[in-house]
Amino acid sequence: MPKKKKKRVVLTEEERLLVMQQKLLAEEELHKKKEDMLAQFLKDKLAKEERNSVLNMHKINLQWRTVLREVKARELHKDIEILSQTFERVVDCKDSVIRSLAKDLAEAEAQYAHALRSHLHNIDKLLELQQCRLGYLGEDYKTELEALQKEFETERKMIIENHEQEIRYLQDVLLAMDQNFNDSDYEARLDFQSTRDDVKNKVWNLEEKHYLRMQLEGKVEELWKRFQQALRNYTEATEDRKLAFEALKLRDEKSTKEIEMQMKKLQRLQELIILLKNKIAVHARESEEQNRRIRDDKEVVLKQLQKLKSQMNRARAKARSNLAKLSRESNGTLKVLERVVEKAELILRLAEMCRRLESEEEKVLPFYASSLSWDEQKAVNKVTLEKPVEPLAQMMQDYVGLERFWQRYNKVRLEQLSLERTKEALLQDNLKLKNLLKQYLDGISVNDEVLSQINPLMIINQHPITLAPPQPVSVTDSQIKRPIYNVVEAAHEVKRIL
């Protein structure tokens, strides 16, 4: 079947405008979608790149940290090795110091033990002397106590015997007094009876007398009764007082005797106390003197001990300072020796390098021949064999072994000076040649700078203008003698050294 042909629809102007607007809107939407998609793609790509950059940065940082850790570990290992060596050296120094201090401490302890033993021995001797003295004093006290006891017993016996004798004497006296009293009483009674009888005989016959006698007798009887009554009353009233008086009298007599005895005892005790006080004072003076001597000895011993301690402390301080000074000096000496060893190693390396650079002639004849004649050399040898007198000559005698060294050093020094002079001459020649070359180049070139200066190749109605430099010394002049040097390539020498 044939295809049906579509009929072309004719659109109006408004419809075309609408269609165009729709197309434009669709294109704008499509363009917006594309921009949005592109922006989203770029955002995703940027985020991905940022993630990748962050990840790569982390990887780089990780690798860099690993490298830094390795470098830091190597540095720390080196530092640890250096610190371990330093620590071992310090520990060795400390061990040596500790050993020396332990040795000093042992010596100090031995000295202290010796001083303590001697001090204790002296104290034991003093104690023995004090014990002996106390023993002697105790024996003296016992003997004096026994003597006092014996003296007291003998004196007591004597006092008792004297007392008994006095009692017997008093009893005899009382007995004699009683007898005398009785005799006198009897005589008085006899006198009274005789007088009475006489009176009776005289007035017996007289009545008046009888009457008087009766009155008198009555009065006498009355008085006698009254007297008897008074006597009885007095006796009854004073019986108790009389008994008390008798008792007090007896007690007074006893007290008097006891007081006399006690006074005698007190006197003897006072004498004994005075004697004992004198002995105690003597012993106290002796003991005080001995104590003073002991204290003086103790102070002397303490002073000696303090002096020994101070000497020991000063010796320790001096030994410690000497040890510190020795350690400092030893460290300084070690450093100086290390520098000397380094310098010697450098000298040996330089000598080896110089040995390689020596010529055959220098290897065969390292020392130059002496310029002295035979007589002069003989005189020098004779002077050398003589014993030096001056201090400087004596010091130089110790450095005779360095004569060969100084010969080679002087030879090298002379060659150095010769090379320096040759170098100066060559520098002068080089400078002159540079001036001549500059003049030649200025002469063959034409420019404002050259024209403004004197040109030796230009002629201005005169002779050629030439500079008058000083006569140069030709390098190839046969009159100047220069030493011949062996030239060695630096590359070969570096290969040999390395």
Side-chain angles (χ1 to χ4, degrees), residues 200-221:
K200 284 180 178 182
N201 292 322
K202 286 179 179 179
V203 295
W204 184 263
N205 295 318
L206 298 174
E207 292 178 359
E208 293 177 1
K209 291 182 180 179
H210 180 71
Y211 178 71
L212 290 173
R213 184 172 62 107
M214 293 296 289
Q215 287 180 355
L216 289 172
E217 285 179 0
K219 288 180 181 180
V220 167
E221 286 178 359

PDB file of all heavy atoms in Angstrom, residues 200-221:
ATOM      1  N   LYS A 200      62.253  21.944 234.384  1.00  0.00           N
ATOM      2  CA  LYS A 200      61.328  21.294 235.298  1.00  0.00           C
ATOM      3  C   LYS A 200      61.855  21.381 236.736  1.00  0.00           C
ATOM      4  O   LYS A 200      61.095  21.626 237.674  1.00  0.00           O
ATOM      5  CB  LYS A 200      61.107  19.843 234.894  1.00  0.00           C
ATOM      6  CG  LYS A 200      60.202  19.686 233.694  1.00  0.00           C
ATOM      7  CD  LYS A 200      60.037  18.203 233.344  1.00  0.00           C
ATOM      8  CE  LYS A 200      59.098  17.969 232.189  1.00  0.00           C
ATOM      9  NZ  LYS A 200      58.913  16.550 231.898  1.00  0.00           N
ATOM     10  N   ASN A 201      63.058  21.134 236.885  1.00  0.00           N
ATOM     11  CA  ASN A 201      63.644  21.165 238.245  1.00  0.00           C
ATOM     12  C   ASN A 201      63.608  22.561 238.838  1.00  0.00           C
ATOM     13  O   ASN A 201      63.447  22.735 240.054  1.00  0.00           O
ATOM     14  CB  ASN A 201      65.089  20.633 238.195  1.00  0.00           C
ATOM     15  CG  ASN A 201      65.119  19.151 237.875  1.00  0.00           C
ATOM     16  OD1 ASN A 201      64.227  18.394 238.361  1.00  0.00           O
ATOM     17  ND2 ASN A 201      66.139  18.722 237.192  1.00  0.00           N
ATOM     18  N   LYS A 202      63.768  23.601 237.988  1.00  0.00           N
ATOM     19  CA  LYS A 202      63.791  24.969 238.502  1.00  0.00           C
ATOM     20  C   LYS A 202      62.417  25.447 238.932  1.00  0.00           C
ATOM     21  O   LYS A 202      62.235  26.148 239.873  1.00  0.00           O
ATOM     22  CB  LYS A 202      64.353  25.906 237.427  1.00  0.00           C
ATOM     23  CG  LYS A 202      65.857  25.784 237.247  1.00  0.00           C
ATOM     24  CD  LYS A 202      66.375  26.714 236.167  1.00  0.00           C
ATOM     25  CE  LYS A 202      67.862  26.594 236.012  1.00  0.00           C
ATOM     26  NZ  LYS A 202      68.369  27.463 234.965  1.00  0.00           N
ATOM     27  N   VAL A 203      61.409  25.121 238.112  1.00  0.00           N
ATOM     28  CA  VAL A 203      60.073  25.671 238.391  1.00  0.00           C
ATOM     29  C   VAL A 203      59.134  24.622 238.939  1.00  0.00           C
ATOM     30  O   VAL A 203      57.905  24.793 238.889  1.00  0.00           O
ATOM     31  CB  VAL A 203      59.509  26.271 237.077  1.00  0.00           C
ATOM     32  CG1 VAL A 203      60.310  27.431 236.598  1.00  0.00           C
ATOM     33  CG2 VAL A 203      59.369  25.228 235.990  1.00  0.00           C
ATOM     34  N   TRP A 204      59.641  23.553 239.494  1.00  0.00           N
ATOM     35  CA  TRP A 204      58.738  22.510 239.974  1.00  0.00           C
ATOM     36  C   TRP A 204      57.990  22.920 241.218  1.00  0.00           C
ATOM     37  O   TRP A 204      56.805  22.662 241.339  1.00  0.00           O
ATOM     38  CB  TRP A 204      59.550  21.231 240.215  1.00  0.00           C
ATOM     39  CG  TRP A 204      58.718  20.061 240.609  1.00  0.00           C
ATOM     40  CD1 TRP A 204      58.481  19.623 241.847  1.00  0.00           C
ATOM     41  CD2 TRP A 204      57.983  19.247 239.797  1.00  0.00           C
ATOM     42  NE1 TRP A 204      57.674  18.528 241.881  1.00  0.00           N
ATOM     43  CE2 TRP A 204      57.344  18.265 240.556  1.00  0.00           C
ATOM     44  CE3 TRP A 204      57.774  19.161 238.343  1.00  0.00           C
ATOM     45  CZ2 TRP A 204      56.531  17.253 240.002  1.00  0.00           C
ATOM     46  CZ3 TRP A 204      56.968  18.142 237.823  1.00  0.00           C
ATOM     47  CH2 TRP A 204      56.376  17.242 238.623  1.00  0.00           C
ATOM     48  N   ASN A 205      58.655  23.555 242.028  1.00  0.00           N
ATOM     49  CA  ASN A 205      58.083  23.917 243.299  1.00  0.00           C
ATOM     50  C   ASN A 205      57.365  25.250 243.269  1.00  0.00           C
ATOM     51  O   ASN A 205      56.772  25.671 244.257  1.00  0.00           O
ATOM     52  CB  ASN A 205      59.163  23.969 244.389  1.00  0.00           C
ATOM     53  CG  ASN A 205      59.748  22.582 244.630  1.00  0.00           C
ATOM     54  OD1 ASN A 205      59.000  21.612 244.672  1.00  0.00           O
ATOM     55  ND2 ASN A 205      61.034  22.530 244.890  1.00  0.00           N
ATOM     56  N   LEU A 206      57.438  25.971 242.358  1.00  0.00           N
ATOM     57  CA  LEU A 206      56.812  27.271 242.285  1.00  0.00           C
ATOM     58  C   LEU A 206      55.407  27.117 241.768  1.00  0.00           C
ATOM     59  O   LEU A 206      55.159  26.475 240.745  1.00  0.00           O
ATOM     60  CB  LEU A 206      57.613  28.189 241.398  1.00  0.00           C
ATOM     61  CG  LEU A 206      59.054  28.498 241.852  1.00  0.00           C
ATOM     62  CD1 LEU A 206      59.793  29.295 240.818  1.00  0.00           C
ATOM     63  CD2 LEU A 206      59.036  29.245 243.202  1.00  0.00           C
ATOM     64  N   GLU A 207      54.475  27.720 242.452  1.00  0.00           N
ATOM     65  CA  GLU A 207      53.080  27.580 242.049  1.00  0.00           C
ATOM     66  C   GLU A 207      52.795  28.405 240.816  1.00  0.00           C
ATOM     67  O   GLU A 207      52.004  28.007 239.955  1.00  0.00           O
ATOM     68  CB  GLU A 207      52.166  28.033 243.215  1.00  0.00           C
ATOM     69  CG  GLU A 207      52.229  27.119 244.398  1.00  0.00           C
ATOM     70  CD  GLU A 207      51.374  27.600 245.560  1.00  0.00           C
ATOM     71  OE1 GLU A 207      50.738  28.704 245.410  1.00  0.00           O
ATOM     72  OE2 GLU A 207      51.276  26.871 246.537  1.00  0.00           O
ATOM     73  N   GLU A 208      53.378  29.559 240.857  1.00  0.00           N
ATOM     74  CA  GLU A 208      53.158  30.386 239.690  1.00  0.00           C
ATOM     75  C   GLU A 208      53.674  29.712 238.429  1.00  0.00           C
ATOM     76  O   GLU A 208      53.025  29.711 237.378  1.00  0.00           O
ATOM     77  CB  GLU A 208      53.864  31.738 239.881  1.00  0.00           C
ATOM     78  CG  GLU A 208      53.234  32.572 240.983  1.00  0.00           C
ATOM     79  CD  GLU A 208      53.991  33.867 241.195  1.00  0.00           C
ATOM     80  OE1 GLU A 208      55.009  34.068 240.430  1.00  0.00           O
ATOM     81  OE2 GLU A 208      53.582  34.690 242.008  1.00  0.00           O
ATOM     82  N   LYS A 209      54.819  29.207 238.710  1.00  0.00           N
ATOM     83  CA  LYS A 209      55.366  28.481 237.582  1.00  0.00           C
ATOM     84  C   LYS A 209      54.510  27.313 237.204  1.00  0.00           C
ATOM     85  O   LYS A 209      54.335  26.957 236.060  1.00  0.00           O
ATOM     86  CB  LYS A 209      56.791  28.018 237.888  1.00  0.00           C
ATOM     87  CG  LYS A 209      57.754  29.183 237.948  1.00  0.00           C
ATOM     88  CD  LYS A 209      59.183  28.665 238.199  1.00  0.00           C
ATOM     89  CE  LYS A 209      60.181  29.793 238.273  1.00  0.00           C
ATOM     90  NZ  LYS A 209      61.558  29.330 238.524  1.00  0.00           N
ATOM     91  N   HIS A 210      53.890  26.722 238.295  1.00  0.00           N
ATOM     92  CA  HIS A 210      52.998  25.616 238.007  1.00  0.00           C
ATOM     93  C   HIS A 210      51.788  26.071 237.251  1.00  0.00           C
ATOM     94  O   HIS A 210      51.326  25.422 236.291  1.00  0.00           O
ATOM     95  CB  HIS A 210      52.598  24.949 239.347  1.00  0.00           C
ATOM     96  CG  HIS A 210      51.693  23.800 239.136  1.00  0.00           C
ATOM     97  ND1 HIS A 210      52.101  22.590 238.577  1.00  0.00           N
ATOM     98  CD2 HIS A 210      50.359  23.630 239.445  1.00  0.00           C
ATOM     99  CE1 HIS A 210      51.096  21.765 238.520  1.00  0.00           C
ATOM    100  NE2 HIS A 210      49.994  22.376 239.036  1.00  0.00           N
ATOM    101  N   TYR A 211      51.286  27.235 237.723  1.00  0.00           N
ATOM    102  CA  TYR A 211      50.124  27.760 237.040  1.00  0.00           C
ATOM    103  C   TYR A 211      50.477  28.133 235.610  1.00  0.00           C
ATOM    104  O   TYR A 211      49.722  27.820 234.666  1.00  0.00           O
ATOM    105  CB  TYR A 211      49.613  28.968 237.819  1.00  0.00           C
ATOM    106  CG  TYR A 211      48.411  29.638 237.178  1.00  0.00           C
ATOM    107  CD1 TYR A 211      47.161  29.003 237.195  1.00  0.00           C
ATOM    108  CD2 TYR A 211      48.528  30.900 236.562  1.00  0.00           C
ATOM    109  CE1 TYR A 211      46.077  29.629 236.596  1.00  0.00           C
ATOM    110  CE2 TYR A 211      47.435  31.502 235.980  1.00  0.00           C
ATOM    111  CZ  TYR A 211      46.217  30.870 235.968  1.00  0.00           C
ATOM    112  OH  TYR A 211      45.139  31.473 235.359  1.00  0.00           O
ATOM    113  N   LEU A 212      51.586  28.786 235.492  1.00  0.00           N
ATOM    114  CA  LEU A 212      52.051  29.137 234.146  1.00  0.00           C
ATOM    115  C   LEU A 212      52.310  27.907 233.291  1.00  0.00           C
ATOM    116  O   LEU A 212      52.009  27.876 232.114  1.00  0.00           O
ATOM    117  CB  LEU A 212      53.325  29.972 234.248  1.00  0.00           C
ATOM    118  CG  LEU A 212      53.173  31.382 234.805  1.00  0.00           C
ATOM    119  CD1 LEU A 212      54.544  32.025 235.016  1.00  0.00           C
ATOM    120  CD2 LEU A 212      52.324  32.256 233.900  1.00  0.00           C
ATOM    121  N   ARG A 213      52.872  26.927 234.039  1.00  0.00           N
ATOM    122  CA  ARG A 213      53.128  25.698 233.283  1.00  0.00           C
ATOM    123  C   ARG A 213      51.849  25.108 232.807  1.00  0.00           C
ATOM    124  O   ARG A 213      51.735  24.637 231.689  1.00  0.00           O
ATOM    125  CB  ARG A 213      53.862  24.706 234.175  1.00  0.00           C
ATOM    126  CG  ARG A 213      54.263  23.443 233.458  1.00  0.00           C
ATOM    127  CD  ARG A 213      55.121  22.648 234.372  1.00  0.00           C
ATOM    128  NE  ARG A 213      54.328  22.304 235.528  1.00  0.00           N
ATOM    129  CZ  ARG A 213      53.855  21.126 235.812  1.00  0.00           C
ATOM    130  NH1 ARG A 213      54.193  20.104 235.098  1.00  0.00           N
ATOM    131  NH2 ARG A 213      53.102  20.931 236.875  1.00  0.00           N
ATOM    132  N   MET A 214      50.807  25.175 233.664  1.00  0.00           N
ATOM    133  CA  MET A 214      49.536  24.606 233.256  1.00  0.00           C
ATOM    134  C   MET A 214      48.977  25.382 232.082  1.00  0.00           C
ATOM    135  O   MET A 214      48.467  24.806 231.118  1.00  0.00           O
ATOM    136  CB  MET A 214      48.558  24.636 234.445  1.00  0.00           C
ATOM    137  CG  MET A 214      48.937  23.709 235.606  1.00  0.00           C
ATOM    138  SD  MET A 214      48.922  21.982 235.150  1.00  0.00           S
ATOM    139  CE  MET A 214      47.164  21.738 234.980  1.00  0.00           C
ATOM    140  N   GLN A 215      49.082  26.750 232.242  1.00  0.00           N
ATOM    141  CA  GLN A 215      48.581  27.540 231.116  1.00  0.00           C
ATOM    142  C   GLN A 215      49.390  27.290 229.855  1.00  0.00           C
ATOM    143  O   GLN A 215      48.830  27.134 228.759  1.00  0.00           O
ATOM    144  CB  GLN A 215      48.645  29.023 231.499  1.00  0.00           C
ATOM    145  CG  GLN A 215      47.604  29.451 232.498  1.00  0.00           C
ATOM    146  CD  GLN A 215      47.708  30.933 232.842  1.00  0.00           C
ATOM    147  OE1 GLN A 215      48.637  31.598 232.389  1.00  0.00           O
ATOM    148  NE2 GLN A 215      46.738  31.419 233.627  1.00  0.00           N
ATOM    149  N   LEU A 216      50.684  27.282 230.077  1.00  0.00           N
ATOM    150  CA  LEU A 216      51.538  27.039 228.909  1.00  0.00           C
ATOM    151  C   LEU A 216      51.313  25.662 228.308  1.00  0.00           C
ATOM    152  O   LEU A 216      51.288  25.498 227.096  1.00  0.00           O
ATOM    153  CB  LEU A 216      53.011  27.213 229.300  1.00  0.00           C
ATOM    154  CG  LEU A 216      53.475  28.648 229.573  1.00  0.00           C
ATOM    155  CD1 LEU A 216      54.889  28.631 230.124  1.00  0.00           C
ATOM    156  CD2 LEU A 216      53.397  29.483 228.322  1.00  0.00           C
ATOM    157  N   GLU A 217      51.152  24.704 229.218  1.00  0.00           N
ATOM    158  CA  GLU A 217      50.898  23.365 228.676  1.00  0.00           C
ATOM    159  C   GLU A 217      49.590  23.331 227.907  1.00  0.00           C
ATOM    160  O   GLU A 217      49.466  22.718 226.838  1.00  0.00           O
ATOM    161  CB  GLU A 217      50.889  22.367 229.815  1.00  0.00           C
ATOM    162  CG  GLU A 217      52.246  22.032 230.363  1.00  0.00           C
ATOM    163  CD  GLU A 217      52.212  21.056 231.519  1.00  0.00           C
ATOM    164  OE1 GLU A 217      51.060  20.646 231.879  1.00  0.00           O
ATOM    165  OE2 GLU A 217      53.289  20.639 231.988  1.00  0.00           O
ATOM    166  N   GLY A 218      48.559  24.039 228.537  1.00  0.00           N
ATOM    167  CA  GLY A 218      47.282  24.073 227.815  1.00  0.00           C
ATOM    168  C   GLY A 218      47.443  24.744 226.465  1.00  0.00           C
ATOM    169  O   GLY A 218      46.924  24.268 225.435  1.00  0.00           O
ATOM    170  N   LYS A 219      48.167  25.935 226.563  1.00  0.00           N
ATOM    171  CA  LYS A 219      48.387  26.611 225.277  1.00  0.00           C
ATOM    172  C   LYS A 219      49.218  25.770 224.311  1.00  0.00           C
ATOM    173  O   LYS A 219      48.945  25.703 223.118  1.00  0.00           O
ATOM    174  CB  LYS A 219      49.088  27.940 225.538  1.00  0.00           C
ATOM    175  CG  LYS A 219      48.191  28.991 226.168  1.00  0.00           C
ATOM    176  CD  LYS A 219      48.974  30.270 226.382  1.00  0.00           C
ATOM    177  CE  LYS A 219      48.095  31.340 227.030  1.00  0.00           C
ATOM    178  NZ  LYS A 219      48.820  32.587 227.258  1.00  0.00           N
ATOM    179  N   VAL A 220      50.222  25.095 224.908  1.00  0.00           N
ATOM    180  CA  VAL A 220      51.085  24.261 224.052  1.00  0.00           C
ATOM    181  C   VAL A 220      50.305  23.135 223.450  1.00  0.00           C
ATOM    182  O   VAL A 220      50.415  22.782 222.276  1.00  0.00           O
ATOM    183  CB  VAL A 220      52.297  23.754 224.865  1.00  0.00           C
ATOM    184  CG1 VAL A 220      53.016  22.660 224.102  1.00  0.00           C
ATOM    185  CG2 VAL A 220      53.255  24.887 225.161  1.00  0.00           C
ATOM    186  N   GLU A 221      49.444  22.542 224.348  1.00  0.00           N
ATOM    187  CA  GLU A 221      48.642  21.433 223.797  1.00  0.00           C
ATOM    188  C   GLU A 221      47.695  21.939 222.721  1.00  0.00           C
ATOM    189  O   GLU A 221      47.477  21.295 221.701  1.00  0.00           O
ATOM    190  CB  GLU A 221      47.859  20.798 224.949  1.00  0.00           C
ATOM    191  CG  GLU A 221      48.726  19.956 225.865  1.00  0.00           C
ATOM    192  CD  GLU A 221      47.964  19.368 227.012  1.00  0.00           C
ATOM    193  OE1 GLU A 221      46.726  19.644 227.084  1.00  0.00           O
ATOM    194  OE2 GLU A 221      48.573  18.634 227.794  1.00  0.00           O
TER     195      GLU A 221
END
